[in-house]
Amino acid sequence: MKTGRLLIAALLTTLFALVAGPAALSQAAPTPQYPPPTCPQLGVSTTTPFPGQQITVSGSAFEAAQKITVVMHSDAVVLAHVTADSAGSFSVKVSIPAGTSGSHTIAVEGDTSGCPVEPIQIRVQGHGVEAANSGGGLAFTGVDILAAVAIALALITAGVILARSGRHRRSGARRSSH
C-alpha cells in the first residue's frame, strides 16, 4: 500500500512539473496591482509576411497624440512615423523591405510613459510578394502533442501497476484465509 502511494505521489509531482514548468515550482505568486496598469499594445495583420508585402501595424492604449516610430529590428529599419489619435490608437500600413527574410521583430519607439511595449516577432517568408500567392504550407498552431502523449502513457502505466498490485494483494489475502 505504501509503495502505491509513493508511486502516485511521484507521478503527480512529475505531472505537475511537466505541465506547470520548473518556474512554477520555484516562484512565489506576484502581488497583483489594482487597478492593473494599461500598457500600450501592438498588433500586426500577419506574422508571416513576404518581402515587399504591405502589412498593417496597429496599436492601442498609447497616450493621445503621442508620436510613434514603427521599426523592424534585426538591423533597425524605420517603417513608419505615426501619431496616436485622441483615444491613443493608431493603424498604419507598412511595406516589408525587399530582400528581407528570416526572423525579425516589429517594435515601436517613442515615449511610452514607462510602460514597456512588447515587440512582435515576425518571420519573413519566401522571395517576394509573388510567393505570397503561391499557397504556402500549413501553419504551425503551437500545440506540442508529444508532452501530452508522454503524460498519458505515464498515467496509464501507473494505473496498470496499481491495478495489478491490488489484485495480487487481494488474491493473496483470499488464499491465506482459506
Side-chain angles (χ1 to χ4, degrees), residues 65-78:
Q66 181 176 343
K67 297 199 182 311
I68 300 162
T69 302
V70 180
V71 181
M72 184 173 79
H73 286 284
S74 286
D75 298 324
V77 176
V78 174

Side-chain angles (χ1 to χ4, degrees), residues 34-171:
Y34 187 82
T38 303
C39 292
Q41 299 289 315
L42 190 59
V44 293
S45 57
T46 181
T47 57
T48 55
F50 291 88
Q53 181 180 353
Q54 275 200 335
I55 66 170
T56 301
V57 178
S58 58
S60 62
F62 287 86
E63 295 206 13
Q66 181 176 343
K67 297 199 182 311
I68 300 162
T69 302
V70 180
V71 181
M72 184 173 79
H73 286 284
S74 286
D75 298 324
V77 176
V78 174
L79 300 176
H81 295 282
V82 66
T83 302
D85 62 18
S86 61
S89 298
F90 74 89
S91 181
V92 63
K93 286 194 179 281
V94 299
S95 292
I96 302 299
T100 304
S101 65
S103 294
H104 301 275
T105 56
I106 302 287
V108 293
E109 295 175 353
D111 178 25
T112 57
S113 304
C115 202
V117 181
E118 292 293 323
I120 296 180
Q121 183 78 33
I122 64 168
R123 179 149 182 86
V124 181
Q125 306 290 316
H127 300 291
V129 175
E130 65 279 353
N133 299 324
S134 67
L138 294 175
F140 177 69
T141 62
V143 176
D144 185 7
I145 193 85
L146 185 58
V149 170
I151 292 168
L153 288 174
L155 291 173
I156 289 170
T157 303
V160 168
I161 290 170
L162 291 173
R164 286 188 177 174
S165 67
R167 284 187 201 142
H168 290 303
R169 285 194 189 115
R170 276 186 257 134
S171 65

